[in-house]
Amino acid sequence: LYKNLVRSAFPRALQGSEPDGSAMEALTVHALTNPKALPKIVLYLEKIVSKKFARRELQQLQCAIKILHTLIQTCHLELRRFSENVVRVTKFLLRQVELPELYPLGCEIFIKFASYQDGANLTLVLSPFIDDIVRLSHDLQTRPDLRLSIREAGLKAMAVVVRLLDLSLAEHFAKLMPAILVNINVPTDADGEGLDRRVKEAASRLFRQGCQCLR
């Protein structure tokens, strides 16, 4: 049953990147009423991500990631049942190099996942991702729009790390600060209305936030 529900959540057209609304609702209801099925559901989704990635079906991959994002949000009280799967998928999305367009979605999964972690597990859960987030905040894609969107996503993820780790931040701040400073100094267009402006502002907020945590 759960496999049919997962498959039904995907749009029929390969070009579609949005989950089917009614099918997604049926999947989440099934997951909430059968929490023991969550590990199987997310493992199956993890396998779909690997398959779609191998075929370079970008839109279908985006849909799979959005389904996972919804399951994390809807079933967060049962997150411990499928957290290992989420960690594996997130690491894969952030560390693969063939489809950089997926980095922002990987950051969104990380942010959603991190927001439901409790204090006892924070450092253990977040620390393995810090190097990935720093790398994305330094991204050097040749396409300016892609580079800036990846940097913006990396900075958003970094802001979550700074906010949640707080007192544990000092040991990581030497890694974070260079990425923050690089983006504070990113050149902006004359109109100052685009991604470059948002990246610059996000980095400036992070700088202030980090300095407050270290006081």
Side-chain angles (χ1 to χ4, degrees):
L1 174 62
Y2 72 88
K3 290 184 178 180
N4 288 334
L5 289 171
V6 172
R7 287 195 294 266
S8 297
F10 284 83
R12 293 184 179 180
L14 287 177
Q15 293 75 24
S17 63
E18 294 297 325
D20 179 273
S22 58
M24 192 67 233
E25 183 178 352
L27 175 61
T28 53
V29 168
H30 177 73
L32 287 170
T33 53
N34 300 276
K36 290 183 179 179
L38 271 166
K40 292 181 180 180
I41 292 171
V42 181
L43 178 60
Y44 184 58
L45 193 58
E46 184 181 351
K47 291 178 179 178
I48 291 176
V49 167
S50 297
K51 185 182 296 185
K52 300 297 184 184
F53 182 85
R55 295 174 178 172
R56 299 298 187 269
E57 295 175 356
L58 181 58
Q59 285 77 20
Q60 294 278 294
L61 261 170
Q62 292 171 336
C63 183
I65 296 165
K66 290 173 183 177
I67 293 171
L68 179 59
H69 189 280
T70 299
L71 286 173
I72 295 171
Q73 180 171 322
T74 307
C75 307
H76 62 89
L77 293 178
E78 300 289 342
L79 187 55
R80 59 183 176 78
R81 295 182 184 271
F82 60 101
S83 60
E84 291 184 5
N85 305 85
V86 177
V87 167
R88 280 198 302 269
V89 172
T90 306
K91 286 181 177 179
F92 173 74
L93 293 173
L94 297 182
R95 295 174 185 178
Q96 56 83 26
V97 295
E98 289 89 350
L99 293 174
E101 295 87 352
L102 296 178
Y103 292 149
L105 287 173
C107 287
E108 288 181 17
I109 292 291
F110 169 80
I111 291 168
K112 183 60 66 177
F113 177 67
S115 67
Y116 291 121
Q117 300 303 309
D118 59 39
N121 293 328
L122 276 176
T123 301
L124 183 64
V125 171
L126 300 188
S127 294
F129 292 98
I130 288 177
D131 287 344
D132 301 306
I133 291 167
V134 168
R135 176 176 49 79
L136 296 183
S137 301
H138 272 294
D139 190 80
L140 297 174
Q141 299 292 323
T142 54
R143 264 180 52 199
D145 60 330
L146 179 58
R147 179 176 67 250
L148 288 169
S149 67
I150 292 171
R151 287 192 178 198
E152 183 181 28
L155 289 169
K156 287 180 180 178
M158 193 181 294
V160 172
V161 170
V162 171
R163 177 172 58 84
L164 294 178
L165 288 185
D166 199 8
L167 295 178
S168 304
L169 185 63
E171 62 184 285
H172 301 294
F173 208 62
K175 291 182 179 180
L176 303 182
M177 185 57 77
I180 294 172
L181 294 176
V182 163
N183 287 292
I184 285 177
N185 295 316
V186 69
T188 56
D189 291 336
D191 59 16
E193 296 296 329
L195 271 170
D196 47 8
R197 174 64 63 180
R198 297 210 304 267
V199 166
K200 196 179 188 76
E201 291 175 351
S204 298
R205 286 194 300 271
L206 257 175
F207 181 80
R208 294 191 296 270
Q209 186 180 354
C211 290
Q212 289 175 355
C213 290
L214 294 175
R215 286 177 181 173

